[in-house]
Amino acid sequence: MRVLVLGAGYAGLTLARDLERRLPADADLTVVNDSPHHLVQHEVHRAIRRPAVADAIQVPLDEALDRAEVVVDRVTGVDRDARTVELAAGDALDYDYCAVCLGAQTAYYGIPGLEAHSVPLKRVADAETIRTRFFDDCDEGGTVVVGGAGLSGVQVAGELAALRDEEGAHADIVLVEQLDAVAPSFDASFRRAVRDELLDRGVEIRTETTVESVTDATVEADTGDIDYDLLVWTGGIAGDDAMGGERPTVRADLRLDRRTFVVGDAARAVDADGEPVPASASAALREAKTVAGNIAAQVEFETGGDEDEFAPRPDPYRFEVPGWIVSVGDGAVAQVGPSIFRGKAAKAMKATVGAGHLTSVGAISRAVDLVDEELHA
């Protein structure tokens, strides 16, 4: 019996650690990831201003996992009919159960010139590129355009504004959003607080602005051209290449078929209440717990169940989170229930989120380092 977990982001690592505890001793568990490290994705923006934070937010998989075999390679395809996974190195892995946790890629929507002239923010190397380009192109005066005002774009814009102020640079930070508000997927009170935090930190906001094409110096939008020296694009997500660039829709059991699950940002999930699940770390972590229990139950039934019994029915996933939080430079905005927090309270909450996740995957010393970076930034 072999269980594969593809990807070691929030969903993948949480799922694999849960399966290590739940699966019978004679079941094989293999984790495939394109890096030997787990990355705390929602803290990557910090590495733009604080390069040392990179050490705290990258956890070696051989430290986070005990019994799972770790294969460092890129997944290139999933053949559900043959129950095999193809890898970039040319190998193929068979599976009895597979959880696709490959996350998502940056979406460019076919906008001419956008991918060629922008920098995404998915990895630490991207943060390093943004930092280098900022000092090379904007330190003595220039314009940074951040495309997309979801939580990732808000955090990037806030971090760049803080870097500008710390270094005494003369750069303009412009946040561009196609819809009519920043953080457009969230409650009105949260949106207003995020907008106020950005404005307080000197970020120029341009909503209802659609990017139509990009040259090496100009963002051409429906509201007028924006000349730039650095363009960072956080304007959306698409499926991993191994999934054909698609994020398949799955119901509350998070299954493509009886033996193949899709977890986290890799899928468009609809929960037990029929509600769409937003792409977020909090959802990915909770989905992983549900899927781990369902896979373990299926494995137990197959390896030790009564042939006359029915297979266990999978538990459905229901999206429930206590709130939302986003950092904006040295500030933050948090929503807990109907209450909105800014200032020190929100900043303390933000510090505990990343540290709590690191602690949950056994990286306690890194959690301490991250809290120190957050609270003493």
Side-chain angles (χ1 to χ4, degrees):
M1 178 67 68
R2 172 186 265 180
V3 178
L4 294 184
V5 177
L6 309 182
Y10 292 114
L13 183 57
T14 300
L15 177 57
R17 282 175 61 89
D18 227 29
L19 287 174
E20 285 189 322
R21 177 175 57 85
R22 291 173 176 264
L23 289 177
D26 58 352
D28 294 326
L29 175 61
T30 302
V31 176
V32 183
N33 197 52
D34 61 0
S35 165
H37 297 87
H38 165 70
L39 178 64
V40 184
Q41 182 73 48
H42 70 271
E43 295 289 350
V44 175
H45 65 285
R46 291 297 194 199
I48 297 172
R49 185 165 51 120
R50 302 274 186 261
V53 82
D55 292 334
I57 63 174
Q58 296 182 96
V59 182
L61 294 178
D62 58 5
E63 293 181 10
L65 296 167
D66 294 324
R67 62 175 278 195
E69 175 191 10
V70 176
V71 175
V72 179
D73 204 342
R74 181 171 55 85
V75 176
T76 57
V78 179
D79 187 334
R80 293 192 287 127
D81 293 330
R83 297 214 306 262
T84 60
V85 170
E86 293 83 36
L87 305 180
D91 299 324
L93 300 175
D94 298 329
Y95 68 84
D96 295 286
Y97 288 95
C98 177
V100 180
C101 310
L102 294 171
Q105 303 182 120
T106 301
Y108 297 98
Y109 306 109
I111 298 172
L114 177 57
E115 183 173 5
H117 297 298
S118 65
V119 183
L121 185 64
K122 285 291 186 183
R123 300 176 180 273
V124 169
D126 296 329
E128 293 170 347
T129 298
I130 293 168
R131 178 181 173 85
T132 299
R133 289 276 307 277
F134 178 85
F135 283 114
D136 288 348
D137 301 334
C138 306
D139 193 28
E140 298 300 324
T143 298
V144 182
V145 173
V146 179
L151 298 190
S152 293
V154 167
Q155 294 193 143
V156 172
E159 205 66 19
L160 285 166
L163 178 62
R164 172 198 62 196
D165 295 343
E166 282 186 2
E167 299 295 329
H170 301 286
D172 295 322
I173 314 298
V174 181
L175 180 60
V176 174
E177 170 57 45
Q178 183 179 34
L179 299 179
D180 62 359
V182 298
S185 300
F186 298 87
D187 292 345
S189 56
F190 185 78
R191 296 197 303 264
R192 286 193 297 270
V194 172
R195 181 182 182 87
D196 290 345
E197 194 75 32
L198 287 164
L199 292 174
D200 288 350
R201 296 179 185 281
V203 175
E204 179 183 345
I205 299 170
R206 298 193 189 185
T207 54
E208 299 183 278
T209 298
T210 300
V211 176
E212 296 179 334
S213 63
V214 178
T215 71
D216 60 356
T218 303
V219 174
E220 298 170 346
D222 61 344
T223 56
D225 292 350
I226 308 171
D227 293 333
Y228 73 90
D229 299 279
L230 170 60
L231 172 60
V232 181
W233 183 254
T234 64
I237 58 175
D240 190 86
D241 287 342
M243 303 297 288
E246 298 296 325
R247 298 171 61 220
T249 299
V250 293
R251 297 188 178 187
D253 61 5
L254 304 171
R255 295 193 297 185
L256 286 175
D257 59 43
R258 193 170 72 85
R259 295 180 177 274
T260 311
F261 297 75
V262 189
V263 193
D265 292 357
R268 300 177 188 272
V270 178
D271 79 351
D273 296 321
E275 296 296 326
V277 178
S280 64
S282 57
L285 294 168
R286 289 164 174 80
E287 287 178 16
K289 295 288 186 180
T290 298
V291 170
N294 288 336
I295 290 177
Q298 296 293 333
V299 170
E300 182 179 2
F301 173 77
E302 282 197 28
T303 57
D306 189 327
E307 292 182 357
D308 295 329
E309 293 182 355
F310 291 107
R313 178 176 294 181
D315 291 333
Y317 168 72
R318 179 171 281 103
F319 177 68
E320 295 176 332
V321 295
W324 300 99
I325 192 163
V326 61
S327 64
V328 187
D330 288 332
V333 177
Q335 180 176 5
V336 182
S339 301
I340 301 295
F341 300 90
R342 293 175 63 186
K344 291 182 178 179
K347 187 174 179 179
M349 291 180 200
K350 185 67 169 68
T352 62
V353 169
H357 173 64
L358 284 167
T359 300
S360 75
V361 299
I364 296 173
S365 64
R366 286 179 168 80
V368 173
D369 292 343
L370 181 61
V371 169
D372 185 65
E373 287 285 349
E374 286 276 6
L375 295 184
H376 296 91

